[in-house]
Amino acid sequence: MHIYKLSGRNVDVTDAMRDYVEEKLTRLDRFSDQITDARVVLTHRDVRDAGRRNRVEVQLNVPSGIIRAEEHHADMYAAIDRASDVLERQLRKFKTRYMRHRQEALPQPEPGLAEADVNAGLDEDVTEFHPEIVRTKRFDVRPMSAEDAVTQMEALGHDFYVFRNMDTGGCGVVYRRRDGHYGLIEPS
């Protein structure tokens, strides 16, 4: 792995920690040479449960999505080990799925599809209080199956995920239902 960013919250990142993280990230290259960059955040928190005091968050950027792991442990190095194990499992799945899709020759995403201004059409002259959009996110909408979108949603730890359906070409949203199953929303 060539590019990664390591930061600490309420913890001084020592050279030993930096070397350990770099060793773990370099080992992940054997599973996927598709990792473009990584972000690692080491956090120490003052909580009663000693097993949750140290948190490691790792986000790997890959060509068709994001792979993410978050682990807790009383020992920072053990939390790094756990996060590395989770990432290895996810990378194995990703590599298998990536190779399968590559054989099926997926169409490439069209640039700029998701870059429309979210605030376009909003009336600026409002006299009474209305809830407003306080945060805007822009992202590439990639063509994938609904099952792949569920995998990406789970990897990110979100409750929903917007994607371009490779079968229909339309935009879709997968979401987690309260009963534990998933839902799919597609325009008609």
Side-chain angles (χ1 to χ4, degrees), residues 7-83:
S7 60
R9 293 183 186 148
N10 298 326
V11 64
D12 291 327
V13 179
T14 64
D15 289 338
M17 282 182 187
R18 186 174 304 280
D19 292 343
Y20 196 73
V21 167
E22 187 169 344
E23 174 189 333
K24 291 295 184 177
L25 290 178
T26 303
R27 288 182 57 212
L28 295 177
D29 280 343
R30 67 185 169 150
F31 295 103
S32 176
D33 57 350
Q34 299 295 318
I35 300 171
T36 56
D37 67 343
R39 183 178 57 92
V40 181
V41 179
L42 308 177
T43 306
H44 178 79
R45 302 177 305 161
D46 289 326
V47 293
R48 290 183 184 176
D49 183 6
R52 299 189 62 82
R53 285 203 179 129
N54 294 300
R55 178 175 64 195
V56 175
E57 300 169 83
V58 183
Q59 177 178 313
L60 304 176
N61 294 318
V62 294
S64 61
I66 296 171
I67 296 177
R68 187 176 183 283
E70 178 179 324
E71 288 297 322
H72 301 84
H73 199 275
D75 177 55
M76 184 65 77
Y77 291 95
I80 294 169
D81 287 339
R82 283 182 172 183

Side-chain angles (χ1 to χ4, degrees), residues 65-131:
I66 296 171
I67 296 177
R68 187 176 183 283
E70 178 179 324
E71 288 297 322
H72 301 84
H73 199 275
D75 177 55
M76 184 65 77
Y77 291 95
I80 294 169
D81 287 339
R82 283 182 172 183
S84 177
D85 292 343
V86 169
L87 291 170
E88 284 184 21
R89 285 192 303 272
Q90 291 180 354
L91 280 169
R92 279 191 194 106
K93 288 179 186 177
F94 169 77
K95 192 168 185 177
T96 302
R97 188 171 292 120
Y98 177 77
M99 296 307 278
R100 183 184 49 180
H101 285 301
R102 192 170 165 184
Q103 291 172 355
E104 296 171 2
L106 282 176
Q108 295 298 316
E110 297 174 27
L113 286 177
E115 295 179 11
D117 186 8
V118 176
N119 295 322
L122 291 180
D123 187 10
E124 295 293 331
D125 188 24
V126 178
T127 56
E128 58 186 66
F129 175 76
H130 292 285

